[in-house]
Amino acid sequence: MQSLKILLLGAAIGSATVLPASASSSAWYNSEGGKVRLVTSGKPDEAGRILGVLDIALKPGWKTYWRDPGDAGVPPQLDVSASTNIAGATLAFPAPQRHDDGYGKWAGYNYPISLPVTFKLATPDQPAVIDADIFLGICETICIPVQTRLTVDPTSEPDNADDAALVKASFMALPAPAKPDFGVNVLPGDHETLVVEASFPGAPEAADFFVAGERDYMFGTPSRSEKDGKLIFTVPILDRPSTTPTDGGLHYTLTSSAGAVEGLLPFP
């Protein structure tokens, strides 16, 4: 997608709908390729978390990206620093699909998608208002960065059944945690490749492996091979930090005909 023209429209991109927000969701924000809103389940749980989704309603023929969009996409980003009594927010991602649109290969979604979000209260049992600055790419032949602020007062109607159902369904659709018979093991590689052995149910041709470039790592498209009856993915390391991180890891998702799992890999 390197030759894809990016149309920079700044804050003027799209227009917010004039319809009022419904209950524990924000108003829709319209752009050329679709619209976005923020939905919450309303009430915080006992751990001081409010669950929600970034709801992305794409028009036919348009797409948006996974946590690692490839070399020219725009990953979804959410900043809640302007919020009241919100300490942070974490986006989660359904299993992506791999696409080749003639410009390049990328991981993401070419259909409407809801990205789960977990908001953490700074002070439990105190009111919170979510002011979330959203930045994501919605692309056809032109990639339009969508930038807006979405506001939600989760207490405005905390028992909205439709909002709660959407949030619950989105979290249930996330990949399951990886396990020994459905996941990957890292094999010896070198400074320029990440090599993993995949275990999964179903046919090998239906399996795919996605790893997110984070902490200054950048990865190419995995190649596939078989060794001793096992499916091997070899991923080019296109860029890496000068010093290998010692904390955390790289998010990965492994998909198969039986579903998807996710986990963390040690930094190569």
Side-chain angles (χ1 to χ4, degrees), residues 144-162:
I144 300 178
V146 174
Q147 187 170 6
T148 188
R149 176 172 289 184
L150 302 177
T151 298
V152 179
D153 178 356
T155 64
S156 60
E157 192 182 343
D159 297 313
N160 184 286
D162 291 340

mmCIF file with all atom_site columns, all heavy atoms in Angstrom, residues 144-162:
data_model
loop_
_atom_site.group_PDB
_atom_site.id
_atom_site.type_symbol
_atom_site.label_atom_id
_atom_site.label_alt_id
_atom_site.label_comp_id
_atom_site.label_asym_id
_atom_site.label_entity_id
_atom_site.label_seq_id
_atom_site.pdbx_PDB_ins_code
_atom_site.Cartn_x
_atom_site.Cartn_y
_atom_site.Cartn_z
_atom_site.occupancy
_atom_site.B_iso_or_equiv
_atom_site.pdbx_formal_charge
_atom_site.auth_seq_id
_atom_site.auth_comp_id
_atom_site.auth_asym_id
_atom_site.auth_atom_id
_atom_site.pdbx_PDB_model_num
ATOM 1   N N   . ILE A 1 144 ? -8.256  7.654  4.291  1.00 0.00 ? 144 ILE A N   1
ATOM 2   C CA  . ILE A 1 144 ? -8.654  8.874  4.982  1.00 0.00 ? 144 ILE A CA  1
ATOM 3   C C   . ILE A 1 144 ? -8.421  8.705  6.478  1.00 0.00 ? 144 ILE A C   1
ATOM 4   O O   . ILE A 1 144 ? -9.086  7.898  7.121  1.00 0.00 ? 144 ILE A O   1
ATOM 5   C CB  . ILE A 1 144 ? -10.132 9.192  4.725  1.00 0.00 ? 144 ILE A CB  1
ATOM 6   C CG1 . ILE A 1 144 ? -10.396 9.375  3.234  1.00 0.00 ? 144 ILE A CG1 1
ATOM 7   C CG2 . ILE A 1 144 ? -10.553 10.431 5.493  1.00 0.00 ? 144 ILE A CG2 1
ATOM 8   C CD1 . ILE A 1 144 ? -11.841 9.635  2.897  1.00 0.00 ? 144 ILE A CD1 1
ATOM 9   N N   . PRO A 1 145 ? -7.477  9.445  7.056  1.00 0.00 ? 145 PRO A N   1
ATOM 10  C CA  . PRO A 1 145 ? -7.343  9.412  8.508  1.00 0.00 ? 145 PRO A CA  1
ATOM 11  C C   . PRO A 1 145 ? -8.552  10.077 9.165  1.00 0.00 ? 145 PRO A C   1
ATOM 12  O O   . PRO A 1 145 ? -8.873  11.221 8.872  1.00 0.00 ? 145 PRO A O   1
ATOM 13  C CB  . PRO A 1 145 ? -6.062  10.212 8.771  1.00 0.00 ? 145 PRO A CB  1
ATOM 14  C CG  . PRO A 1 145 ? -5.352  10.268 7.467  1.00 0.00 ? 145 PRO A CG  1
ATOM 15  C CD  . PRO A 1 145 ? -6.433  10.274 6.431  1.00 0.00 ? 145 PRO A CD  1
ATOM 16  N N   . VAL A 1 146 ? -9.237  9.357  10.015 1.00 0.00 ? 146 VAL A N   1
ATOM 17  C CA  . VAL A 1 146 ? -10.404 9.869  10.716 1.00 0.00 ? 146 VAL A CA  1
ATOM 18  C C   . VAL A 1 146 ? -9.963  10.306 12.106 1.00 0.00 ? 146 VAL A C   1
ATOM 19  O O   . VAL A 1 146 ? -9.428  9.506  12.877 1.00 0.00 ? 146 VAL A O   1
ATOM 20  C CB  . VAL A 1 146 ? -11.504 8.796  10.810 1.00 0.00 ? 146 VAL A CB  1
ATOM 21  C CG1 . VAL A 1 146 ? -12.654 9.277  11.675 1.00 0.00 ? 146 VAL A CG1 1
ATOM 22  C CG2 . VAL A 1 146 ? -11.995 8.425  9.418  1.00 0.00 ? 146 VAL A CG2 1
ATOM 23  N N   . GLN A 1 147 ? -10.177 11.571 12.419 1.00 0.00 ? 147 GLN A N   1
ATOM 24  C CA  . GLN A 1 147 ? -9.736  12.128 13.683 1.00 0.00 ? 147 GLN A CA  1
ATOM 25  C C   . GLN A 1 147 ? -10.881 12.922 14.294 1.00 0.00 ? 147 GLN A C   1
ATOM 26  O O   . GLN A 1 147 ? -11.412 13.851 13.689 1.00 0.00 ? 147 GLN A O   1
ATOM 27  C CB  . GLN A 1 147 ? -8.522  13.035 13.464 1.00 0.00 ? 147 GLN A CB  1
ATOM 28  C CG  . GLN A 1 147 ? -7.881  13.528 14.732 1.00 0.00 ? 147 GLN A CG  1
ATOM 29  C CD  . GLN A 1 147 ? -6.554  14.224 14.462 1.00 0.00 ? 147 GLN A CD  1
ATOM 30  O OE1 . GLN A 1 147 ? -6.167  14.423 13.314 1.00 0.00 ? 147 GLN A OE1 1
ATOM 31  N NE2 . GLN A 1 147 ? -5.854  14.586 15.526 1.00 0.00 ? 147 GLN A NE2 1
ATOM 32  N N   . THR A 1 148 ? -11.267 12.543 15.507 1.00 0.00 ? 148 THR A N   1
ATOM 33  C CA  . THR A 1 148 ? -12.370 13.232 16.174 1.00 0.00 ? 148 THR A CA  1
ATOM 34  C C   . THR A 1 148 ? -12.320 12.945 17.662 1.00 0.00 ? 148 THR A C   1
ATOM 35  O O   . THR A 1 148 ? -11.571 12.076 18.114 1.00 0.00 ? 148 THR A O   1
ATOM 36  C CB  . THR A 1 148 ? -13.730 12.788 15.592 1.00 0.00 ? 148 THR A CB  1
ATOM 37  O OG1 . THR A 1 148 ? -14.774 13.604 16.114 1.00 0.00 ? 148 THR A OG1 1
ATOM 38  C CG2 . THR A 1 148 ? -14.018 11.324 15.920 1.00 0.00 ? 148 THR A CG2 1
ATOM 39  N N   . ARG A 1 149 ? -13.128 13.667 18.428 1.00 0.00 ? 149 ARG A N   1
ATOM 40  C CA  . ARG A 1 149 ? -13.298 13.378 19.853 1.00 0.00 ? 149 ARG A CA  1
ATOM 41  C C   . ARG A 1 149 ? -14.711 12.862 20.075 1.00 0.00 ? 149 ARG A C   1
ATOM 42  O O   . ARG A 1 149 ? -15.678 13.492 19.645 1.00 0.00 ? 149 ARG A O   1
ATOM 43  C CB  . ARG A 1 149 ? -13.053 14.617 20.716 1.00 0.00 ? 149 ARG A CB  1
ATOM 44  C CG  . ARG A 1 149 ? -13.311 14.360 22.212 1.00 0.00 ? 149 ARG A CG  1
ATOM 45  C CD  . ARG A 1 149 ? -12.885 15.518 23.080 1.00 0.00 ? 149 ARG A CD  1
ATOM 46  N NE  . ARG A 1 149 ? -11.432 15.612 23.137 1.00 0.00 ? 149 ARG A NE  1
ATOM 47  C CZ  . ARG A 1 149 ? -10.782 16.512 23.894 1.00 0.00 ? 149 ARG A CZ  1
ATOM 48  N NH1 . ARG A 1 149 ? -11.461 17.374 24.627 1.00 0.00 ? 149 ARG A NH1 1
ATOM 49  N NH2 . ARG A 1 149 ? -9.460  16.535 23.896 1.00 0.00 ? 149 ARG A NH2 1
ATOM 50  N N   . LEU A 1 150 ? -14.819 11.720 20.739 1.00 0.00 ? 150 LEU A N   1
ATOM 51  C CA  . LEU A 1 150 ? -16.113 11.129 21.070 1.00 0.00 ? 150 LEU A CA  1
ATOM 52  C C   . LEU A 1 150 ? -16.319 11.197 22.574 1.00 0.00 ? 150 LEU A C   1
ATOM 53  O O   . LEU A 1 150 ? -15.424 10.840 23.348 1.00 0.00 ? 150 LEU A O   1
ATOM 54  C CB  . LEU A 1 150 ? -16.164 9.670  20.600 1.00 0.00 ? 150 LEU A CB  1
ATOM 55  C CG  . LEU A 1 150 ? -15.939 9.446  19.097 1.00 0.00 ? 150 LEU A CG  1
ATOM 56  C CD1 . LEU A 1 150 ? -15.942 7.951  18.781 1.00 0.00 ? 150 LEU A CD1 1
ATOM 57  C CD2 . LEU A 1 150 ? -17.000 10.160 18.270 1.00 0.00 ? 150 LEU A CD2 1
ATOM 58  N N   . THR A 1 151 ? -17.497 11.650 22.986 1.00 0.00 ? 151 THR A N   1
ATOM 59  C CA  . THR A 1 151 ? -17.782 11.874 24.407 1.00 0.00 ? 151 THR A CA  1
ATOM 60  C C   . THR A 1 151 ? -18.933 10.987 24.864 1.00 0.00 ? 151 THR A C   1
ATOM 61  O O   . THR A 1 151 ? -19.953 10.879 24.178 1.00 0.00 ? 151 THR A O   1
ATOM 62  C CB  . THR A 1 151 ? -18.137 13.346 24.658 1.00 0.00 ? 151 THR A CB  1
ATOM 63  O OG1 . THR A 1 151 ? -17.014 14.165 24.298 1.00 0.00 ? 151 THR A OG1 1
ATOM 64  C CG2 . THR A 1 151 ? -18.468 13.590 26.127 1.00 0.00 ? 151 THR A CG2 1
ATOM 65  N N   . VAL A 1 152 ? -18.745 10.358 26.014 1.00 0.00 ? 152 VAL A N   1
ATOM 66  C CA  . VAL A 1 152 ? -19.768 9.493  26.600 1.00 0.00 ? 152 VAL A CA  1
ATOM 67  C C   . VAL A 1 152 ? -19.847 9.758  28.096 1.00 0.00 ? 152 VAL A C   1
ATOM 68  O O   . VAL A 1 152 ? -18.829 9.784  28.792 1.00 0.00 ? 152 VAL A O   1
ATOM 69  C CB  . VAL A 1 152 ? -19.455 7.993  26.377 1.00 0.00 ? 152 VAL A CB  1
ATOM 70  C CG1 . VAL A 1 152 ? -20.533 7.127  27.013 1.00 0.00 ? 152 VAL A CG1 1
ATOM 71  C CG2 . VAL A 1 152 ? -19.326 7.667  24.903 1.00 0.00 ? 152 VAL A CG2 1
ATOM 72  N N   . ASP A 1 153 ? -21.059 9.944  28.593 1.00 0.00 ? 153 ASP A N   1
ATOM 73  C CA  . ASP A 1 153 ? -21.318 9.928  30.032 1.00 0.00 ? 153 ASP A CA  1
ATOM 74  C C   . ASP A 1 153 ? -21.938 8.565  30.338 1.00 0.00 ? 153 ASP A C   1
ATOM 75  O O   . ASP A 1 153 ? -23.130 8.344  30.091 1.00 0.00 ? 153 ASP A O   1
ATOM 76  C CB  . ASP A 1 153 ? -22.270 11.051 30.420 1.00 0.00 ? 153 ASP A CB  1
ATOM 77  C CG  . ASP A 1 153 ? -22.596 11.041 31.917 1.00 0.00 ? 153 ASP A CG  1
ATOM 78  O OD1 . ASP A 1 153 ? -22.137 10.122 32.622 1.00 0.00 ? 153 ASP A OD1 1
ATOM 79  O OD2 . ASP A 1 153 ? -23.309 11.955 32.375 1.00 0.00 ? 153 ASP A OD2 1
ATOM 80  N N   . PRO A 1 154 ? -21.166 7.618  30.864 1.00 0.00 ? 154 PRO A N   1
ATOM 81  C CA  . PRO A 1 154 ? -21.682 6.252  31.058 1.00 0.00 ? 154 PRO A CA  1
ATOM 82  C C   . PRO A 1 154 ? -22.886 6.165  31.986 1.00 0.00 ? 154 PRO A C   1
ATOM 83  O O   . PRO A 1 154 ? -23.629 5.181  31.943 1.00 0.00 ? 154 PRO A O   1
ATOM 84  C CB  . PRO A 1 154 ? -20.473 5.505  31.648 1.00 0.00 ? 154 PRO A CB  1
ATOM 85  C CG  . PRO A 1 154 ? -19.283 6.316  31.262 1.00 0.00 ? 154 PRO A CG  1
ATOM 86  C CD  . PRO A 1 154 ? -19.757 7.734  31.265 1.00 0.00 ? 154 PRO A CD  1
ATOM 87  N N   . THR A 1 155 ? -23.087 7.194  32.829 1.00 0.00 ? 155 THR A N   1
ATOM 88  C CA  . THR A 1 155 ? -24.205 7.133  33.776 1.00 0.00 ? 155 THR A CA  1
ATOM 89  C C   . THR A 1 155 ? -25.492 7.709  33.206 1.00 0.00 ? 155 THR A C   1
ATOM 90  O O   . THR A 1 155 ? -26.529 7.687  33.878 1.00 0.00 ? 155 THR A O   1
ATOM 91  C CB  . THR A 1 155 ? -23.857 7.907  35.058 1.00 0.00 ? 155 THR A CB  1
ATOM 92  O OG1 . THR A 1 155 ? -23.673 9.302  34.742 1.00 0.00 ? 155 THR A OG1 1
ATOM 93  C CG2 . THR A 1 155 ? -22.581 7.374  35.681 1.00 0.00 ? 155 THR A CG2 1
ATOM 94  N N   . SER A 1 156 ? -25.461 8.211  31.966 1.00 0.00 ? 156 SER A N   1
ATOM 95  C CA  . SER A 1 156 ? -26.648 8.859  31.413 1.00 0.00 ? 156 SER A CA  1
ATOM 96  C C   . SER A 1 156 ? -27.797 7.872  31.237 1.00 0.00 ? 156 SER A C   1
ATOM 97  O O   . SER A 1 156 ? -28.958 8.220  31.398 1.00 0.00 ? 156 SER A O   1
ATOM 98  C CB  . SER A 1 156 ? -26.322 9.534  30.085 1.00 0.00 ? 156 SER A CB  1
ATOM 99  O OG  . SER A 1 156 ? -25.845 8.583  29.150 1.00 0.00 ? 156 SER A OG  1
ATOM 100 N N   . GLU A 1 157 ? -27.488 6.644  30.882 1.00 0.00 ? 157 GLU A N   1
ATOM 101 C CA  . GLU A 1 157 ? -28.490 5.573  30.848 1.00 0.00 ? 157 GLU A CA  1
ATOM 102 C C   . GLU A 1 157 ? -27.756 4.245  30.994 1.00 0.00 ? 157 GLU A C   1
ATOM 103 O O   . GLU A 1 157 ? -27.563 3.510  30.029 1.00 0.00 ? 157 GLU A O   1
ATOM 104 C CB  . GLU A 1 157 ? -29.301 5.602  29.546 1.00 0.00 ? 157 GLU A CB  1
ATOM 105 C CG  . GLU A 1 157 ? -30.531 4.702  29.609 1.00 0.00 ? 157 GLU A CG  1
ATOM 106 C CD  . GLU A 1 157 ? -31.311 4.703  28.307 1.00 0.00 ? 157 GLU A CD  1
ATOM 107 O OE1 . GLU A 1 157 ? -31.121 5.601  27.483 1.00 0.00 ? 157 GLU A OE1 1
ATOM 108 O OE2 . GLU A 1 157 ? -32.109 3.764  28.119 1.00 0.00 ? 157 GLU A OE2 1
ATOM 109 N N   . PRO A 1 158 ? -27.334 3.917  32.204 1.00 0.00 ? 158 PRO A N   1
ATOM 110 C CA  . PRO A 1 158 ? -26.431 2.784  32.411 1.00 0.00 ? 158 PRO A CA  1
ATOM 111 C C   . PRO A 1 158 ? -27.059 1.419  32.153 1.00 0.00 ? 158 PRO A C   1
ATOM 112 O O   . PRO A 1 158 ? -26.337 0.428  32.083 1.00 0.00 ? 158 PRO A O   1
ATOM 113 C CB  . PRO A 1 158 ? -26.016 2.925  33.875 1.00 0.00 ? 158 PRO A CB  1
ATOM 114 C CG  . PRO A 1 158 ? -27.144 3.668  34.508 1.00 0.00 ? 158 PRO A CG  1
ATOM 115 C CD  . PRO A 1 158 ? -27.637 4.616  33.461 1.00 0.00 ? 158 PRO A CD  1
ATOM 116 N N   . ASP A 1 159 ? -28.375 1.361  32.003 1.00 0.00 ? 159 ASP A N   1
ATOM 117 C CA  . ASP A 1 159 ? -29.028 0.070  31.795 1.00 0.00 ? 159 ASP A CA  1
ATOM 118 C C   . ASP A 1 159 ? -29.544 -0.106 30.372 1.00 0.00 ? 159 ASP A C   1
ATOM 119 O O   . ASP A 1 159 ? -30.479 -0.876 30.141 1.00 0.00 ? 159 ASP A O   1
ATOM 120 C CB  . ASP A 1 159 ? -30.188 -0.084 32.786 1.00 0.00 ? 159 ASP A CB  1
ATOM 121 C CG  . ASP A 1 159 ? -29.715 -0.087 34.233 1.00 0.00 ? 159 ASP A CG  1
ATOM 122 O OD1 . ASP A 1 159 ? -28.738 -0.800 34.523 1.00 0.00 ? 159 ASP A OD1 1
ATOM 123 O OD2 . ASP A 1 159 ? -30.306 0.638  35.055 1.00 0.00 ? 159 ASP A OD2 1
ATOM 124 N N   . ASN A 1 160 ? -28.925 0.584  29.418 1.00 0.00 ? 160 ASN A N   1
ATOM 125 C CA  . ASN A 1 160 ? -29.349 0.465  28.027 1.00 0.00 ? 160 ASN A CA  1
ATOM 126 C C   . ASN A 1 160 ? -29.028 -0.943 27.518 1.00 0.00 ? 160 ASN A C   1
ATOM 127 O O   . ASN A 1 160 ? -27.864 -1.332 27.408 1.00 0.00 ? 160 ASN A O   1
ATOM 128 C CB  . ASN A 1 160 ? -28.656 1.523  27.178 1.00 0.00 ? 160 ASN A CB  1
ATOM 129 C CG  . ASN A 1 160 ? -29.138 1.511  25.747 1.00 0.00 ? 160 ASN A CG  1
ATOM 130 O OD1 . ASN A 1 160 ? -28.788 0.627  24.979 1.00 0.00 ? 160 ASN A OD1 1
ATOM 131 N ND2 . ASN A 1 160 ? -29.931 2.496  25.383 1.00 0.00 ? 160 ASN A ND2 1
ATOM 132 N N   . ALA A 1 161 ? -30.052 -1.717 27.209 1.00 0.00 ? 161 ALA A N   1
ATOM 133 C CA  . ALA A 1 161 ? -29.870 -3.133 26.861 1.00 0.00 ? 161 ALA A CA  1
ATOM 134 C C   . ALA A 1 161 ? -29.141 -3.312 25.535 1.00 0.00 ? 161 ALA A C   1
ATOM 135 O O   . ALA A 1 161 ? -28.318 -4.226 25.390 1.00 0.00 ? 161 ALA A O   1
ATOM 136 C CB  . ALA A 1 161 ? -31.226 -3.829 26.808 1.00 0.00 ? 161 ALA A CB  1
ATOM 137 N N   . ASP A 1 162 ? -29.426 -2.456 24.552 1.00 0.00 ? 162 ASP A N   1
ATOM 138 C CA  . ASP A 1 162 ? -28.777 -2.589 23.244 1.00 0.00 ? 162 ASP A CA  1
ATOM 139 C C   . ASP A 1 162 ? -27.282 -2.317 23.348 1.00 0.00 ? 162 ASP A C   1
ATOM 140 O O   . ASP A 1 162 ? -26.460 -3.038 22.758 1.00 0.00 ? 162 ASP A O   1
ATOM 141 C CB  . ASP A 1 162 ? -29.416 -1.633 22.236 1.00 0.00 ? 162 ASP A CB  1
ATOM 142 C CG  . ASP A 1 162 ? -30.830 -2.032 21.862 1.00 0.00 ? 162 ASP A CG  1
ATOM 143 O OD1 . ASP A 1 162 ? -31.184 -3.221 22.060 1.00 0.00 ? 162 ASP A OD1 1
ATOM 144 O OD2 . ASP A 1 162 ? -31.586 -1.176 21.378 1.00 0.00 ? 162 ASP A OD2 1
#
